[in-house]
Amino acid sequence: KVYLMNGDTACYEGCQAALTAITYRQGSRSSQEYFDKAIQLCPNLDYAWFEKAVPYLKRGDFVQWKLMIDQAVALNPVEHLGYRGWCRYQFLRDYEGAIRDLEALDSLNSWDIGYSQNGAYHLNVAKALCYRAIGKRDTAIQMIETQLVAENYDPMLYDYLHLGVMKLEKGDASGAVEALLAQIE
């Protein structure tokens, strides 16, 4: 209705098409066609770009996914950078790209950057895992330790496990044992 109040009937109709799209099975022809209609009517409707991209990721068509998710990120970076960064880490092993996305997200807001799409990791921990993957273990350890002491943060299921493994890889056996015992708790 905001679009109508602003006199933008095309984006209002695009939004309605996107709402129709989600009534169909995700990735189905009907769903994708309604998202196409939504994008045609309102090219800056980031929600439609995002939702149209998701089935491509799930099917493993990362090229098509990337083209569409990049549009969603360009239109609404705060909403979509965390998702794209997590997916770059989880599915593409594009560690540098994931770091860029998560750092960009962090620079755009002053609040917590949030959690991974599957809810198992804080995005700062995911970023740390990316640093580990590119050989910057000390940076990764520091990032996880910083996250673990952040105000109002409750450790996630694997935080101490990853920290313990990294400390063990670094040769810090006592630090590794301490982290792994915290993981058991």
Side-chain angles (χ1 to χ4, degrees), residues 6-68:
N6 292 329
D8 190 346
T9 57
C11 279
Y12 173 78
E13 290 172 10
C15 190
Q16 293 303 308
L19 291 173
T20 300
I22 63 173
T23 66
Y24 294 96
R25 187 175 46 83
Q26 186 182 55
S28 69
R29 181 180 183 146
S30 295
S31 176
Q32 295 297 78
E33 286 173 350
Y34 274 102
F35 282 128
D36 286 339
K37 182 179 179 181
I39 291 166
Q40 182 181 18
L41 289 164
C42 188
N44 64 344
L45 187 59
D46 65 284
Y47 172 76
W49 285 104
F50 173 81
E51 289 296 335
K52 183 166 175 56
V54 171
Y56 289 99
L57 176 73
K58 290 180 176 181
R59 291 180 184 137
D61 187 345
F62 300 121
V63 172
Q64 287 302 312
W65 169 77
K66 181 84 167 54
L67 292 171
M68 290 176 212

Side-chain angles (χ1 to χ4, degrees), residues 137 141 162-177 180:
R137 189 176 298 113
I141 290 170
H162 288 295
L163 181 61
V165 168
M166 284 188 254
K167 287 189 175 219
L168 188 60
E169 290 171 340
K170 188 177 175 188
D172 179 3
S174 64
V177 167
L180 293 172

Side-chain angles (χ1 to χ4, degrees), residues 57 65 69 80-95 97-102 105 114-130 158 162:
L57 176 73
W65 169 77
I69 200 62
H80 303 296
L81 273 169
Y83 168 80
R84 186 177 72 181
W86 170 255
C87 290
R88 282 177 143 175
Y89 163 72
Q90 183 182 25
F91 298 110
L92 304 176
R93 302 299 186 237
D94 175 10
Y95 304 117
I99 291 167
R100 281 192 307 274
D101 281 353
L102 298 176
L105 176 61
Y115 294 84
S116 63
Q117 196 66 17
N118 65 7
Y121 292 91
H122 189 278
L123 290 175
N124 284 329
V125 174
K127 187 172 26 168
L129 295 174
C130 291
Y158 306 109
H162 288 295

